[in-house]
Amino acid sequence: MSQPFRLNKEGLINRNKKISFTFNGKKLFGFEGDTIASALIANGIHLVGRSFKYHRPRGFFGAGVEEPNAKLQVEFNGHSEPNVNATEMELVEGLSATSQNCWPSVNFDVGAINNFLKMFFPAGFYYKTFMWPKSFWYKIYEPFIRKAAGLGVASIEKDKERYEHKFEYCDLLVTGSGPSGLASAYAAAKNGAKVILAEDKPRFGGTLLTDDVSIDNLSGKDWAEKIITELKSMPNVTVKNRSQVFGYYDHNMLVMFERVSDHLEKKSKFTPRQRLWYIRAKETILSTGSIERPIVFGNNDTPGIFLSAAAKEYMKVYGVLVGKKPLIFTNNDSAYETALEFKKNNVEPIILDTREEHSSELIDEAKSKGIDIRFSHGVIVANGYKKVKSAKIGKLNKDKNSFEKIETVDCDCICVSGFWTPSVHLASQSGNKLKYEEKIDAFIPDKKKQHETSVGAANGSFTLEESLKHGFENGSNLSAKITETKTEISIPNVNEKKYGAHDKFWCMPLPKNENPKRFVDFQNDVSVSDIEIALREGYRSIEHVKRYTTLGMATDQGRTSNLNGLQLVSNIENKIVPEVGHTTFRPPFTPITIGTIVGREVGMEYMPTRKTPMHEWHEKNNAVFVDAGAWKRPRYYKLGSETLFEASKREAKNVRENVGICDVTTLGKIDIKGPDAAEFLNRVYTNAWMKLPVGKARYGLMLREDGIVMDDGTTTRISENHYHMTTTTAQAANVLSHLEYYLQIVWPELNVNVVSTTEQWAGAAIAGPKSRDMLSKLYPDLDVSNEALPFMGYKEAEFFGVPSRIFRISFSGELAYEINVKSDHGMFMWEKMMEVGKDFGNQPYGTEALSTLRIEMGHVAGPELDGRTIPSDVSLNGLVSKKKDFIGKNSLGREAFNVESRQKIVGLIPIDRKSSIPEGSHIVQDQNAKLPNPKLGHVSSSCWSVENNNPFSLAIMKDGKNMIGKKFFAVSPLKNKSIEVEVISSHYVDPEGKRVRS
Amino acid sequence: MLYIKCPYCGLRAQKEFSYGGDATVKRPNINEEVSSEDWDNFVYMRKSPRGKHIELWQHIAGCRQWIKVQRDTATHEIFQTAKVTEEIR
Ligand SMILES: [Zn+2]
């Protein structure tokens, strides 16, 4: 149970709490506060995966978001999650991690043969190889690539966890709690600003946790703790750890991913796993720090090779040694701190410094401690397959392109430092054009694009003093503009070590006749030679080089490879880096879970559900519902073991023979008031509206300006200046916006108001030959005779004591009425109708029967008004006024709308009078014609005609009216059906419309 | 997500609005003769500028007013918003 690489004291982990976990089936333990990576390294495990292309053994390289290699499949708290970054995921009891991208095991991987066949995998390999023949893609190339190049495996189980979304507003959002972030947040908080401070890691403080500095005589770590404690106590400050701001969007909208409970073992059902924050910030401080840059050398991907700062972090934060015989390979002073930390823990490092012998505070300190420093030296190639065993090192000549001396030294880890790269991702996402800073050989943010201010290392300031100063100043100034309060803060005294200049050197040359792989991008296996090939083959734009080689395109977004790639291109092309330019940074900064993006919008919460006031009754009476937009509508009411077909036939037949009631609450309803209402309707509808008397309804058709039918419905004149408009369920929202557009923008001189009343009225249709008899029982005191309440008539009357509106309108083609009562009375109305209707054979009917009734009558609906038809296409040209102007009228004169052979609505019946015609079928002359078979039209709606007891369909067909009496085929390749049909009139039942007027 | 200042309600998130296209298009007067060319221009022809664009948005999940927004189509910067009765200069 011992952990051979765990230090005795160092670190911020909780040594009192052991946590057991497994890695590739092996039982191990770590401590609370460990990441999977720190616990594995403590146990001496470095080989964790295989690389993407060559299946080379890979270990840990970093200690946080910069990690390119250590992506594991992790099972914890009942999930299985792929591509988990082992350097970020905290250890929880019972966690089980497995290597990805290897088969059959990480130690013996069949795919590693690719490493020996590397001539097959040069840059552009996929483009070059998997090209011909096309048919090979499907069966050979794609399965091969998928098998060979898999990352983790996504779970197919339903995710039982809870994810949340949160919207937040603040004056200042600070992204990162290193020294500059803490200083900014503190200064802004003191000015009374509403501040959110976000830290990606579990611990606040950033580099203060690992750097050997003091602030106001406190260690960096203690100072950070002091500031955080004070910030947490302030009501205007929200402090969040485990929270990464991963995207900077338009208008200062930033999105943050919070890992709420992944690190907790026990939690309540309502604890979200992760939370997505949409933060609209007035100002943003980007204190995202910097990431260490590697130096490229031979076999630099061997397990045991780390970034030097990561090695230091493992010691200082986790009390873990990445090795006991370290080589420190650097071009700058910061790696000396890592060497000193090793030395402090009684480990003897060797420093290889690419610079010539010189002096600096840190170099002198290392010398005084007796550390072996070799100047003008570097690692040529790492030896060892699954773990570093030794390194071939060389003394560089003056030009650093060949070696004066080469030797091999034993080591068990190599800590590499190629200076620092500011994390400019968020700044770049905000639209900031970055600029190249010669002094640090990296890009930093340029002029502000939105309200982003980069401070500290993210802005290229690599000293603590400068970072703190910029943090305090910017935090104070930005917030003072918002709060108009300025609290003076004295900038603390800082004690830090002075760094000398770095060496502009990032790629070790190779001795003659040696050709080990030198990786630039570990995650995508892009090597120096791949970049050379791309350039040799003529790729010049860095964006093209990126896509051709896949450099920087993996999930780590090239955090450790971008600048080295640019530097290489710049060296080969003899251009300076700013001329090469940089590729675009895009959100998310790190991968986030799909669950978090979706949030609570799953299952029932996927979209709002609209229920009519009668919904419960439908439920109790075995309604089978169908979605109509957000509405739930009864499709049919199931009796016994009835099928949809049987039930809808029964319901429709009952309407034709007796009477039925249908919940029509979902129809759009718009209240229209004002002295110019009639004039307005006259412009909106194609037919005439100026002379509609009070107490009468009229069917109306509205077009878009391009002449296409938009919607239809009835509008009733309630009183002199008051109308009640109905729309189809689907178009309700569009029609309202349409009316508002014309009233607000086009004809503001019209004195008319419109408002949606869809939710205010419950509606029920009573349809069938016995509907008048039933109505007279519902309104015993009202004269409901054909004379008193004729077709398209309207009356207001009390319905058993509640106010109601009665419209004599019909969608079913039968004698019918629609009753509206206030929504609160909807259920009362419905139950009363069911009670009274018993004597007349009343039955409720759903949308399926409703469709049957309207189809066999030839009434058009959504499938016919599909955004492609003009009034004459669907036999509604009678409603188009020739005298007046209206919306869309000018378009009806278009040539293409007036050709004789234009599509027209027709009816279809199968010759055998038995076969139902699938909706969407194509109408063709010859079912056996050579493909593509010329299409003459399509079937828009189909039903079983209850009146004639055979199938009937509506179709939109070329030159339809002249096809009546002819025979065609309706073919549905989807249903594998071809049915011989005869074209008839679209009005299959009661073509004269006698029933509605009876 | 854009942050749009409704002249009636103040700053609101984009998801409260729906887009309504070029605000400078003027519908030919009703009840007046219009040439085919003018009508086609009104119905179909739209510029798709890169840069400043005056457009209509409707505050559908708010006051339901149609408003004018002057926006940069490339950067999404919003320079000005106004009631439809007001001019954007
Ligand atoms: Zn508004």
Side-chain angles (χ1 to χ4, degrees), chain A residues 167 169 250-251 253 280 683 705-706 736-737 740-741 744-747 885-887 890-891 894, chain B residues 1-3 15 27 30-31 34 39 42-44 56 58 60 64-66 75-78 84:
Chain A
F167 289 80
Y169 296 83
D250 292 313
H251 299 176
M253 160 72 83
R280 189 77 71 173
R683 296 179 184 188
E705 291 285 21
D706 64 359
L736 183 64
S737 276
E740 285 165 336
Y741 171 86
Q744 291 174 29
I745 296 171
V746 185
W747 303 311
D885 199 1
F886 53 85
I887 293 170
N890 279 309
S891 293
R894 284 177 62 196
Chain B
M1 203 193 318
L2 305 185
Y3 209 25
K15 55 158 65 173
R27 190 193 191 277
I30 194 137
N31 296 320
V34 54
W39 184 255
F42 158 65
V43 177
Y44 297 105
L56 291 169
Q58 190 186 14
I60 45 163
R64 293 205 65 88
Q65 294 299 303
W66 285 88
T75 65
H76 295 318
E77 186 179 349
I78 290 177
V84 286

Side-chain angles (χ1 to χ4, degrees), chain B residues 6-10 12 16-17 59 62-65 67:
Chain B
C6 171
Y8 302 92
C9 311
R12 298 300 175 94
E16 293 186 14
F17 295 84
H59 195 187
C63 62
R64 293 205 65 88
Q65 294 299 303
I67 61 168

Side-chain angles (χ1 to χ4, degrees), chain A residues 616 666 855:
Chain A
E616 268 179 49
T666 62
I855 293 167

Side-chain angles (χ1 to χ4, degrees), chain A residues 669-681 715-725 736 739 743 747-757 761 794 796 805:
Chain A
K669 305 176 202 76
I670 297 170
D671 208 54
I672 301 174
K673 274 183 181 166
D676 297 321
E679 172 64 26
F680 181 54
L681 290 171
T715 290
T716 306
R717 192 167 197 172
I718 304 288
S719 66
E720 181 64 23
N721 294 328
H722 183 192
Y723 292 79
H724 173 83
M725 175 187 276
L736 183 64
L739 300 181
L743 287 173
W747 303 311
E749 68 278 7
L750 292 183
N751 188 353
V752 180
N753 270 302
V754 293
V755 68
S756 165
T757 52
W761 296 101
Y794 167 75
E796 289 169 20
R805 291 173 166 183

